[in-house]
Every structure is written in structure tokens, then in C-alpha cells.
Amino acid sequence: MSSNDGIDKLRAIEQQFDRERASVVDRKSLEDIRTRYLSRKSGLLTLQLQNLGQLPREQRAEFGQAANKVKAKIEASLETLQTAIVEREQHSSLEGEAIDVTLPGNRKRIGHRHPLTIVRKEIEDIFISMGYTVEDGPEVESTYYNFDALNIPAGHPARDPRDTFYISEQTLLRTHTSPVQVRTMEKIQPPVRIICPGRVFRRDQFDPTHSPMFHQVECLVVDQGITFGDLKGTLERFHKLFFGEKTRTRLRPSFFPFVEPGAEVDVSCGFCGGPGCRVCKGTGWIEVMGSGMVHPNLYGFVNYDAEKYTGFAFGGGIDRYAMLKYDINDLQLFFQNDMRFLQQF
Ligand code: PHE
């Protein structure tokens, strides 16, 4: 071998290195290429240098210089690649740790009131503002308070076990909030001005307008000189405050054993405003309550002087008020607790 052959070889190695360095992308490929060219035992360049001894003496210097030049070039090039790789690694690890302070945070969900609670409180607030107090009564009730003292005689269809959840012969889940009328009159003397919201129970199957448990609000006013006009005025005021000033209230003669006279209470349909629609079934009116003047027989049960006092009472479904207020067409939604529903309130 002559030094010229050797120098050609060196040039070929240098060119090969220049091609291969392009594929160095990380520490591993860098080490691979370093080993391939410079490893002490088998590096391509090392092997060339081992040929040095076989050259004629006068050619050794020239070849040696050329080989060292290539080696220096490769080493410098590897150095540059190494720096680039380290920089790239630092950059990408910083990038991975970076925090974008403009991203929205994880908002913690906080609880809020159930729609029925919202509506109950709204009703309570309206009556409290008119001077009423809020009373409570037991959900497990006696037949005496639920029926007898409300002038509902034995054998009345409302007492049928097919409609009422009996716990024993004389204990039941109250079917309405009206027993609180009697309990209140037993407790306090007129003037009486109370409302009582609460749960009531009837043997109904679930459907969009029925549930075996629902909510009512009862109202009772007893004093000297209370008239049917006071009943109508109170209902009108309440409905305007609850549904809006445009709302009208209508009373239709009806019968409940504990009032005389009795009336069904309708409000003007807030959805169509009168002409009739799906919600009011084309009538322009929606039935919301039962009402009437307290039946004198009740005063006998609670030792009120029926000659001295008169009063009115009404009771209606809180769930129904909530359905009308929020345009909800299925009562069951209130009790299924689907978060997609509840989150809307
Ligand atoms: N308690 C009656 C019902 O559940 C409603 C009502 C209350 C009627 C007060 C008249 C007076 O249907």
C-alpha cells in the first residue's frame, strides 16, 4: 500500500462520515457513529492508522498528518453533534414541564339547591313578606289529623287503602298538607297566618304528572272578618309575585270536605298568555290549587269559636309550580337526580 492509496481511503472515510452524521439524532446514534469510526479496536479510522507502520518511512509523515486531520475533523464534528443533542434534550424537557398560565383551571363543582327547594323557598319568601310564618308537620300522620278532623268522614273514597299508604289502621303517610291546618289551630289562637310546605304521599304510579311522593304547600288564615275576597286577593297577589304581574287567577266552584264554599284555583297560562296551547290544553288556564273558606266543623275540633272567626285555606303542588315556572314537562325529572338536569338550575 502506498500513502496515496491510504489518503484516498481516508477521504472515502471522511465522505462516508459526512453522509452518516446526518442520521445522528440522539445519544445512542451519536455513540454508534463514534464507535464505528473511532473505537480503539475496530474504528474505521483507527484501522487505517494501524496501516501506518506498513508504509515506506518517507510516506508516513504525510499519511499520518492526513489521518490526524480527518480524526480531528470527525472529533470536532462529534463534539458539535453532542452539544446539539444535549441542547435539544434540555429544550424538550423544559417544553414538557412548561405550564400555560393562560389555560383555564379545573373549576371545582360546588353544590347548589335542588329546583324544588328553590321554588319552595321562593314561595316561603313571598308569604313571609306578607306576614305569614312557616309551619312544619309530621309526614307520618294519624287518620285523625289526615281525615277525621278535616271533616272527611269514615267511608270517604279519599281514605281508600288503594290511594293511601297506611302504616297501621290509624297511622298513615299524610296524603296532603291539610292536617297541619288542624295541628296549627290546636296550637295557637287567631289570628292565624301560616303556610306549610312539605312532602305528601299517595299510591300513584310514576308517570310524567304523578309520583307516589310529591310536595304541597298549605296555607291557612283565620281571624275575625276574613272573607272569600281575602282568599281571592291573597291568591292573586301570590301568583303575580310568583309567575309575574301579568298573571291572572280564577276560582271555580268545587268541593273539599274541609272548606265551604270550596274552589279550584286556576292561573292564566304563562306559555300562551290566553289563546290556548299544549300546556293549558287549549283552555288558557292551568289548575294549580284547591281552596276555600275553612269549614265551621273544623273549629269544633280545635275549640275555636265558629261564631267569632272565619278563615280561608288553600293547598297546591310545589312540584307543579316548579314545572310551570321552569317549563318542565315530566315530574319524574325532579326525583331521578340526573346531574344533567339538576345542573341547569
Ligand atoms: N288538601 C287538598 C288537596 O290535597 C287541597 C286543599 C287545601 C283544598 C286546602 C282546599 C283547601 O287536594
Side-chain angles (χ1 to χ4, degrees), residues 254-312:
S254 184
F255 174 78
F256 301 93
F258 37 96
V259 286
E260 181 58 35
E264 218 79 69
V265 183
D266 297 342
V267 290
S268 54
C269 179
F271 294 92
C272 63
C277 67
R278 155 190 78 78
V279 179
C280 60
K281 299 191 184 90
T283 64
W285 295 94
I286 298 168
E287 188 184 312
V288 285
M289 276 181 172
S291 73
M293 300 306 288
V294 178
H295 197 294
N297 285 0
L298 267 64
Y299 298 137
F301 284 102
V302 298
N303 291 322
Y304 274 14
D305 184 349
E307 295 299 317
K308 194 167 159 196
Y309 296 118
T310 52
F312 66 74

Coordinates of all heavy atoms in Angstrom, one line a residue, residues 254-312:
S254 N -115.9 24.2 43.6 CA -115.5 22.8 43.7 C -115.8 22.3 45.2 O -116.3 23.1 46.0 CB -114.0 22.7 43.4 OG -113.6 21.4 43.4
F255 N -115.5 21.1 45.4 CA -115.8 20.5 46.8 C -114.6 19.9 47.4 O -113.9 19.1 46.8 CB -117.0 19.5 46.7 CG -117.2 18.8 48.0 CD1 -118.0 19.5 49.0 CD2 -116.7 17.6 48.3 CE1 -118.2 18.9 50.2 CE2 -116.9 17.0 49.5 CZ -117.7 17.6 50.5
F256 N -114.3 20.3 48.6 CA -113.4 19.6 49.5 C -114.1 19.6 50.9 O -114.7 20.6 51.3 CB -112.1 20.4 49.7 CG -111.4 20.6 48.4 CD1 -111.6 21.7 47.6 CD2 -110.5 19.6 47.9 CE1 -110.9 21.9 46.4 CE2 -109.8 19.8 46.7 CZ -110.0 21.0 45.9
P257 N -114.1 18.5 51.6 CA -114.9 18.3 52.8 C -114.5 19.4 53.9 O -115.3 19.7 54.8 CB -114.6 16.9 53.3 CG -114.1 16.2 52.1 CD -113.4 17.2 51.3
F258 N -113.3 19.9 53.9 CA -112.8 20.8 54.9 C -112.9 22.3 54.6 O -112.5 23.1 55.4 CB -111.4 20.4 55.3 CG -110.5 20.0 54.1 CD1 -109.7 21.0 53.5 CD2 -110.5 18.7 53.7 CE1 -108.9 20.6 52.4 CE2 -109.7 18.3 52.6 CZ -108.9 19.3 51.9
V259 N -113.6 22.6 53.5 CA -113.9 24.0 53.2 C -115.3 24.1 52.7 O -115.9 23.2 52.2 CB -112.9 24.6 52.1 CG1 -111.5 24.8 52.6 CG2 -112.9 23.7 50.9
E260 N -115.9 25.4 52.9 CA -117.2 25.6 52.4 C -117.4 27.1 52.3 O -117.3 27.8 53.4 CB -118.3 25.0 53.4 CG -119.7 25.2 52.9 CD -120.0 24.7 51.5 OE1 -119.4 23.6 51.2 OE2 -120.7 25.3 50.8
P261 N -117.6 27.7 51.2 CA -117.5 27.1 49.9 C -116.1 26.7 49.5 O -115.1 27.3 50.0 CB -118.1 28.1 48.9 CG -117.8 29.4 49.6 CD -117.8 29.2 51.1
G262 N -116.0 25.8 48.6 CA -114.7 25.4 48.1 C -114.5 25.8 46.6 O -115.5 26.0 45.9
A263 N -113.2 25.9 46.2 CA -113.0 26.4 44.9 C -111.7 25.8 44.3 O -110.7 25.7 45.1 CB -112.9 27.9 44.8
E264 N -111.7 25.5 43.1 CA -110.5 25.1 42.4 C -109.8 26.4 41.9 O -110.5 27.3 41.5 CB -110.9 24.3 41.1 CG -110.0 23.1 40.8 CD -110.2 21.9 41.7 OE1 -111.3 21.3 41.6 OE2 -109.3 21.6 42.5
V265 N -108.5 26.5 42.0 CA -107.8 27.7 41.6 C -107.0 27.5 40.3 O -106.2 26.6 40.2 CB -106.8 28.1 42.7 CG1 -106.1 29.4 42.4 CG2 -107.4 28.1 44.1
D266 N -107.3 28.4 39.3 CA -106.6 28.3 38.0 C -105.8 29.6 37.9 O -106.1 30.7 38.4 CB -107.6 28.3 36.9 CG -108.5 27.1 36.8 OD1 -108.1 26.1 37.5 OD2 -109.5 27.1 36.2
V267 N -104.6 29.5 37.2 CA -103.9 30.7 36.8 C -103.9 30.8 35.3 O -104.0 29.7 34.6 CB -102.4 30.7 37.3 CG1 -102.3 30.9 38.8 CG2 -101.6 29.5 36.9
S268 N -103.8 32.0 34.8 CA -103.8 32.2 33.3 C -102.5 31.6 32.8 O -101.4 31.6 33.5 CB -103.8 33.7 33.0 OG -102.8 34.4 33.7
C269 N -102.6 30.9 31.6 CA -101.4 30.2 31.1 C -100.3 31.2 30.7 O -100.5 32.0 29.9 CB -101.8 29.4 29.9 SG -100.5 28.4 29.2
G270 N -99.1 31.0 31.4 CA -98.0 31.8 31.1 C -97.3 31.5 29.8 O -96.4 32.2 29.3
F271 N -97.6 30.4 29.2 CA -96.9 29.9 28.0 C -97.6 30.6 26.7 O -96.9 31.0 25.9 CB -97.0 28.4 27.9 CG -96.1 27.8 29.0 CD1 -96.7 27.4 30.2 CD2 -94.8 27.6 28.8 CE1 -96.0 26.8 31.2 CE2 -94.0 27.0 29.8 CZ -94.6 26.7 31.0
C272 N -98.9 30.6 26.7 CA -99.6 31.2 25.5 C -100.2 32.5 25.9 O -100.6 33.3 25.0 CB -100.6 30.2 24.9 SG -102.0 29.9 26.1
G273 N -100.3 32.8 27.2 CA -100.9 34.1 27.6 C -102.4 34.2 27.3 O -102.9 35.3 27.4
G274 N -103.1 33.1 27.0 CA -104.5 33.2 26.9 C -105.2 32.3 25.8 O -106.1 31.6 26.1
P275 N -104.7 32.4 24.5 CA -105.4 31.8 23.5 C -105.5 30.2 23.6 O -106.4 29.6 23.0 CB -104.7 32.2 22.2 CG -103.4 32.8 22.7 CD -103.6 33.3 24.1
G276 N -104.6 29.6 24.3 CA -104.6 28.2 24.5 C -103.4 27.5 23.8 O -103.1 27.9 22.7
C277 N -102.8 26.6 24.5 CA -101.7 25.9 23.9 C -101.6 24.5 24.5 O -102.5 24.0 25.2 CB -100.4 26.7 24.2 SG -100.0 26.7 26.0
R278 N -100.5 23.8 24.2 CA -100.3 22.4 24.7 C -100.3 22.3 26.2 O -100.9 21.5 26.8 CB -98.9 22.0 24.1 CG -98.2 20.9 24.8 CD -96.7 20.8 24.2 NE -95.9 21.9 24.7 CZ -95.3 21.9 25.9 NH1 -95.5 20.9 26.7 NH2 -94.5 22.8 26.3
V279 N -99.7 23.3 26.9 CA -99.5 23.3 28.3 C -100.9 23.4 29.0 O -101.2 22.7 29.9 CB -98.5 24.3 28.8 CG1 -98.4 24.3 30.3 CG2 -97.2 24.1 28.2
C280 N -101.7 24.4 28.5 CA -103.0 24.6 29.2 C -104.1 23.8 28.5 O -105.3 24.0 28.7 CB -103.3 26.1 29.2 SG -103.4 26.9 27.6
K281 N -103.7 22.9 27.6 CA -104.6 22.0 26.8 C -105.7 22.9 26.1 O -106.9 22.5 26.1 CB -105.3 21.0 27.7 CG -104.3 20.1 28.4 CD -105.0 18.9 29.1 CE -104.0 18.0 29.8 NZ -103.8 18.4 31.2
G282 N -105.3 24.0 25.6 CA -106.2 24.8 24.8 C -107.1 25.7 25.5 O -107.9 26.4 24.9
T283 N -107.1 25.7 26.9 CA -108.1 26.4 27.6 C -107.6 27.8 28.0 O -108.4 28.7 28.4 CB -108.4 25.7 28.9 OG1 -107.3 25.6 29.8 CG2 -108.9 24.3 28.6
G284 N -106.3 28.1 28.0 CA -105.8 29.3 28.5 C -105.6 29.4 30.0 O -105.1 30.4 30.6
W285 N -106.0 28.3 30.7 CA -106.0 28.3 32.2 C -105.3 27.0 32.7 O -105.4 26.0 32.0 CB -107.4 28.4 32.8 CG -108.0 29.7 32.5 CD1 -108.9 30.0 31.5 CD2 -107.9 30.9 33.3 NE1 -109.3 31.3 31.6 CE2 -108.7 31.9 32.7 CE3 -107.2 31.3 34.4 CZ2 -108.8 33.2 33.1 CZ3 -107.3 32.6 34.9 CH2 -108.1 33.5 34.3
I286 N -104.6 27.1 33.8 CA -104.0 25.9 34.4 C -104.4 25.8 35.8 O -104.3 26.7 36.6 CB -102.4 26.1 34.3 CG1 -102.0 26.2 32.8 CG2 -101.7 24.9 35.0 CD1 -100.6 26.6 32.6
E287 N -104.9 24.6 36.2 CA -105.3 24.4 37.6 C -104.1 24.2 38.5 O -103.2 23.4 38.2 CB -106.2 23.1 37.6 CG -106.9 22.9 38.9 CD -107.6 21.5 38.9 OE1 -108.4 21.3 37.9 OE2 -107.5 20.7 39.8
V288 N -104.0 24.9 39.6 CA -102.9 24.8 40.4 C -103.2 24.5 41.9 O -102.3 24.0 42.6 CB -102.0 26.1 40.4 CG1 -101.3 26.2 39.1 CG2 -102.9 27.3 40.6
M289 N -104.4 24.7 42.3 CA -104.7 24.6 43.8 C -106.1 24.2 44.1 O -107.0 24.3 43.2 CB -104.4 25.9 44.5 CG -103.0 26.2 44.9 SD -102.9 27.7 45.7 CE -101.2 27.7 46.2
G290 N -106.3 23.7 45.3 CA -107.6 23.6 45.9 C -107.7 24.7 47.0 O -106.7 25.0 47.6
S291 N -108.9 25.2 47.2 CA -109.0 26.3 48.2 C -110.4 26.4 48.7 O -111.3 25.7 48.3 CB -108.7 27.6 47.5 OG -109.7 28.0 46.6
G292 N -110.6 27.3 49.7 CA -112.0 27.6 50.2 C -112.0 28.2 51.5 O -110.9 28.5 52.1
M293 N -113.2 28.5 52.0 CA -113.3 29.0 53.4 C -113.3 27.9 54.4 O -114.0 26.9 54.1 CB -114.6 29.8 53.5 CG -114.7 31.0 52.5 SD -113.3 32.2 52.6 CE -113.6 33.0 54.2
V294 N -112.6 28.0 55.5 CA -112.5 26.9 56.4 C -113.8 26.5 56.9 O -114.7 27.3 57.3 CB -111.6 27.4 57.6 CG1 -111.6 26.2 58.7 CG2 -110.2 27.8 57.2
H295 N -114.1 25.2 56.8 CA -115.4 24.6 57.2 C -115.6 24.8 58.7 O -114.8 24.4 59.5 CB -115.5 23.2 56.8 CG -116.9 22.6 56.8 ND1 -117.7 22.6 57.9 CD2 -117.7 22.2 55.7 CE1 -118.9 22.1 57.6 NE2 -118.9 21.9 56.2
P296 N -116.8 25.4 59.1 CA -117.0 25.6 60.5 C -116.9 24.3 61.4 O -116.5 24.4 62.5 CB -118.5 26.1 60.6 CG -118.8 26.6 59.2 CD -117.9 25.8 58.2
N297 N -117.1 23.2 60.8 CA -116.9 21.9 61.6 C -115.5 21.8 62.1 O -115.3 21.2 63.2 CB -117.2 20.7 60.7 CG -118.7 20.5 60.5 OD1 -119.5 21.3 61.0 ND2 -119.1 19.5 59.7
L298 N -114.5 22.3 61.4 CA -113.1 22.2 61.8 C -112.9 23.0 63.1 O -112.2 22.5 64.0 CB -112.2 22.8 60.8 CG -111.6 21.7 59.8 CD1 -112.7 21.1 58.9 CD2 -110.5 22.3 58.9
Y299 N -113.6 24.1 63.3 CA -113.5 24.9 64.5 C -113.9 24.1 65.7 O -113.4 24.3 66.8 CB -114.2 26.2 64.4 CG -113.7 27.1 63.2 CD1 -114.6 27.8 62.4 CD2 -112.3 27.2 63.0 CE1 -114.1 28.6 61.4 CE2 -111.9 28.0 62.0 CZ -112.8 28.7 61.1 OH -112.3 29.5 60.1
G300 N -114.9 23.2 65.5 CA -115.4 22.4 66.6 C -114.3 21.5 67.1 O -114.1 21.2 68.3
F301 N -113.5 20.9 66.2 CA -112.4 20.0 66.5 C -111.3 20.7 67.3 O -110.6 20.1 68.1 CB -111.8 19.4 65.3 CG -112.6 18.3 64.7 CD1 -113.4 18.5 63.6 CD2 -112.7 17.0 65.3 CE1 -114.2 17.5 63.0 CE2 -113.4 16.0 64.7 CZ -114.2 16.2 63.6
V302 N -111.1 22.0 67.1 CA -110.0 22.7 67.7 C -110.4 23.8 68.8 O -109.6 24.5 69.2 CB -109.1 23.4 66.6 CG1 -108.5 22.4 65.7 CG2 -109.9 24.5 65.9
N303 N -111.7 23.7 69.1 CA -112.2 24.7 70.1 C -112.0 26.1 69.7 O -111.6 27.0 70.6 CB -111.6 24.4 71.5 CG -112.1 23.1 72.0 OD1 -113.3 22.8 71.8 ND2 -111.3 22.3 72.7
Y304 N -112.3 26.5 68.5 CA -112.3 27.9 68.1 C -113.8 28.2 68.1 O -114.7 27.4 67.8 CB -111.8 28.1 66.6 CG -110.3 28.3 66.5 CD1 -109.4 28.0 67.5 CD2 -109.8 28.7 65.2 CE1 -108.1 28.1 67.3 CE2 -108.5 28.9 65.0 CZ -107.6 28.6 66.1 OH -106.2 28.8 65.9
D305 N -114.1 29.5 68.3 CA -115.5 30.0 68.3 C -115.9 30.2 66.9 O -115.5 31.2 66.3 CB -115.6 31.3 69.2 CG -117.0 31.8 69.3 OD1 -117.9 31.2 68.5 OD2 -117.2 32.7 70.1
A306 N -116.8 29.3 66.4 CA -117.1 29.4 64.9 C -118.0 30.7 64.7 O -118.2 31.1 63.5 CB -117.9 28.2 64.5
E307 N -118.6 31.3 65.7 CA -119.4 32.5 65.5 C -118.5 33.7 65.4 O -118.8 34.7 64.7 CB -120.3 32.7 66.7 CG -121.4 31.6 66.9 CD -122.3 31.6 65.7 OE1 -122.7 32.6 65.2 OE2 -122.6 30.4 65.3
K308 N -117.3 33.6 66.0 CA -116.4 34.7 66.0 C -115.4 34.8 64.8 O -115.0 35.8 64.3 CB -115.6 34.7 67.3 CG -114.9 35.9 67.7 CD -114.4 35.8 69.2 CE -113.3 36.8 69.5 NZ -112.6 36.4 70.7
Y309 N -115.0 33.6 64.4 CA -113.8 33.5 63.5 C -114.3 32.9 62.1 O -115.1 32.0 62.0 CB -112.7 32.7 64.0 CG -112.1 33.3 65.3 CD1 -112.1 32.6 66.5 CD2 -111.4 34.5 65.2 CE1 -111.5 33.1 67.6 CE2 -110.9 35.0 66.4 CZ -110.9 34.3 67.6 OH -110.4 34.9 68.7
T310 N -113.6 33.5 61.1 CA -113.7 32.8 59.8 C -112.3 32.7 59.2 O -111.4 33.4 59.7 CB -114.6 33.7 58.8 OG1 -114.1 35.0 58.8 CG2 -116.1 33.7 59.2
G311 N -112.1 31.9 58.2 CA -110.8 31.8 57.6 C -110.8 31.2 56.3 O -111.8 30.7 55.8
F312 N -109.7 31.2 55.6 CA -109.6 30.5 54.3 C -108.3 29.6 54.3 O -107.4 29.8 55.2 CB -109.5 31.5 53.2 CG -108.3 32.4 53.1 CD1 -107.0 31.9 52.7 CD2 -108.4 33.8 53.4 CE1 -105.9 32.7 52.6 CE2 -107.3 34.6 53.3 CZ -106.0 34.1 52.9

